[in-house]
Amino acid sequence: MAESINEVKHRIASTKSTHQITTAMQMVSTAKLNRIQKHSVSYEQYVSRVKSVVMHLAQSHLLDNINSSSNADSGKAKKTAYLVITSDRGMVGSYNSNVIREANAFIEKNTPNPDDYMILAVGGNGADFYKNRNVNVAYEYRGVSDIPTFAEVREIVKTANSMYEDGVFDELYVCYTHFINRISSEFRAEKMLPMDSEAMNEGASKDVKTSKISAEYEVEPDKQAVLKSILPQYAQSLVFGAILDAKTSEHSASSSAMQSASDNAEDLISKLELQYNRARQAAITTEITEIVGGQEALKH
């Protein structure tokens, strides 16, 4: 019985230690979530202005027939790339499994032939998942900051655009988890390349509400110069927004997972303490019985 009591006592101490760790990790994740949400506010103002400009240009037909592709070749098979955003670490609940499952479903529906697509992975979990399954991972980026910077996104967008211009793929979709609130999120797959007028107008109008534009614009120095300035910012804003959104969802998932782990640890501690008290009471009762029995034996 003594050995059983010591074992339970050891489990209680171990579980309490785990509880302290998960509680600390929950506090860290919550702090990161609060920071990135504040950071997102200023970014949303910027991206709203960029999308507003893009939608005005699209509705004014300044973006008609634009195509940044230099690899148009009707004689070759179409190749699609999917930029899948996951986390680099674990302990984020079902965050990674959900985005990978939804991305796979979207890929299977949109590009059923494995030879017709490739993966651009942002985050170690996604990169490792596809590599382990022999999927073509053409590019991977690990170590995205807890609060992503625009400089990180420039590198990703520059690489993706170079691959597109070089004919490595013909279109690109960004797959990520959109943060709704601390208990809810949803999967999104948005087309980034090629930048055609219809897709850009549709993408911008998701977040920007304006009246229908019918006026014509005069641009200086010329249309190409304006597009050369605006379109890269639009592409960067899409990817940066997706990564920022995904990171917010990641921190929220991590906070929820650690909260759940802490709650489970508390429940287990309560059960173990009850088990320990019962075992200790049984041991004391046994000792008392043995003492009383010994005394009775001495009387005879």
Side-chain angles (χ1 to χ4, degrees):
M1 182 64 70
E3 182 179 355
S4 177
I5 291 177
N6 289 333
E7 182 181 347
V8 174
K9 188 176 181 179
H10 176 73
R11 289 186 63 193
I12 290 174
S14 177
T15 307
K16 284 184 177 180
S17 177
T18 301
H19 178 264
Q20 290 179 339
I21 294 172
T22 56
T23 300
M25 293 179 69
Q26 179 201 347
M27 293 175 64
V28 171
S29 295
T30 301
K32 290 178 180 178
L33 176 60
N34 291 334
R35 285 176 56 203
I36 199 170
Q37 283 185 300
K38 291 179 181 179
H39 184 72
S40 298
V41 172
S42 59
Y43 168 73
E44 287 173 359
Q45 295 174 354
Y46 161 76
V47 76
S48 177
R49 299 297 296 178
V50 172
K51 288 184 175 181
S52 176
V53 170
V54 169
M55 190 165 70
H56 281 202
L57 293 176
Q59 292 178 344
S60 301
H61 306 290
L62 290 178
L63 303 181
D64 289 353
N65 302 319
I66 67 167
N67 191 345
S68 60
S69 173
S70 62
N71 60 331
D73 184 0
S74 58
K76 72 171 188 175
K78 188 177 182 180
K79 200 85 169 181
T80 303
Y82 298 94
L83 195 155
V84 182
I85 304 173
T86 60
S87 72
D88 288 297
R89 59 191 178 90
M91 294 182 288
V92 289
S94 60
Y95 170 78
N96 288 311
S97 59
N98 285 343
V99 68
I100 290 174
R101 184 184 65 252
E102 294 287 352
N104 288 343
F106 180 80
I107 292 171
E108 184 176 352
K109 179 180 178 180
N110 194 54
T111 319
N113 187 352
D115 295 331
D116 293 339
Y117 71 86
M118 65 187 67
I119 299 295
L120 310 184
V122 176
N125 275 276
D128 293 338
F129 174 86
Y130 288 109
K131 281 184 174 180
N132 291 338
R133 286 156 181 78
N134 297 319
V135 177
N136 180 15
V137 179
Y139 170 78
E140 61 178 284
Y141 187 98
R142 298 173 185 255
V144 176
S145 305
D146 289 327
I147 310 297
T149 64
F150 212 76
E152 291 176 291
V153 174
R154 279 200 194 96
E155 180 180 341
I156 297 171
V157 175
K158 183 179 179 180
T159 301
N161 193 63
S162 295
M163 294 173 70
Y164 176 71
E165 292 291 342
D166 292 340
V168 178
F169 55 80
D170 302 295
E171 60 180 2
L172 173 66
Y173 287 88
V174 181
C175 304
Y176 67 100
T177 302
H178 168 61
F179 175 79
I180 299 176
N181 53 51
R182 298 199 179 204
I183 61 175
S184 180
S185 60
E186 67 178 12
F187 172 79
R188 283 188 177 181
E190 298 179 347
K191 189 174 182 178
M192 181 181 134
L193 293 172
M195 295 182 187
D196 58 86
S197 177
E198 182 179 352
M200 294 174 71
N201 193 7
E202 179 182 353
S205 62
K206 287 181 179 179
D207 304 304
V208 181
K209 303 295 183 182
T210 64
S211 58
K212 191 70 176 179
I213 304 297
S214 58
E216 295 185 358
Y217 286 82
E218 293 183 2
V219 294
E220 291 186 3
D222 54 53
K223 176 180 176 181
Q224 293 302 320
V226 172
L227 296 183
K228 186 177 181 180
S229 175
I230 293 295
L231 297 188
Q233 293 185 52
Y234 179 72
Q236 290 172 5
S237 71
L238 283 181
V239 179
F240 184 60
I243 293 177
L244 199 63
D245 209 352
K247 267 294 178 181
T248 306
S249 297
E250 178 187 334
H251 294 323
S252 177
S254 177
S255 178
S256 297
M258 293 303 100
Q259 174 67 56
S260 179
S262 297
D263 292 343
N264 291 337
E266 288 180 357
D267 292 340
L268 182 56
I269 290 171
S270 297
K271 293 178 181 178
L272 289 173
E273 286 180 340
L274 179 60
Q275 182 181 346
Y276 172 78
N277 291 333
R278 286 177 175 174
R280 188 166 176 270
Q281 184 179 15
I284 294 173
T285 302
T286 300
E287 290 176 1
I288 293 175
T289 301
E290 290 175 351
I291 293 172
V292 172
Q295 290 177 340
E296 291 296 327
L298 291 174
K299 289 181 181 179
H300 302 288

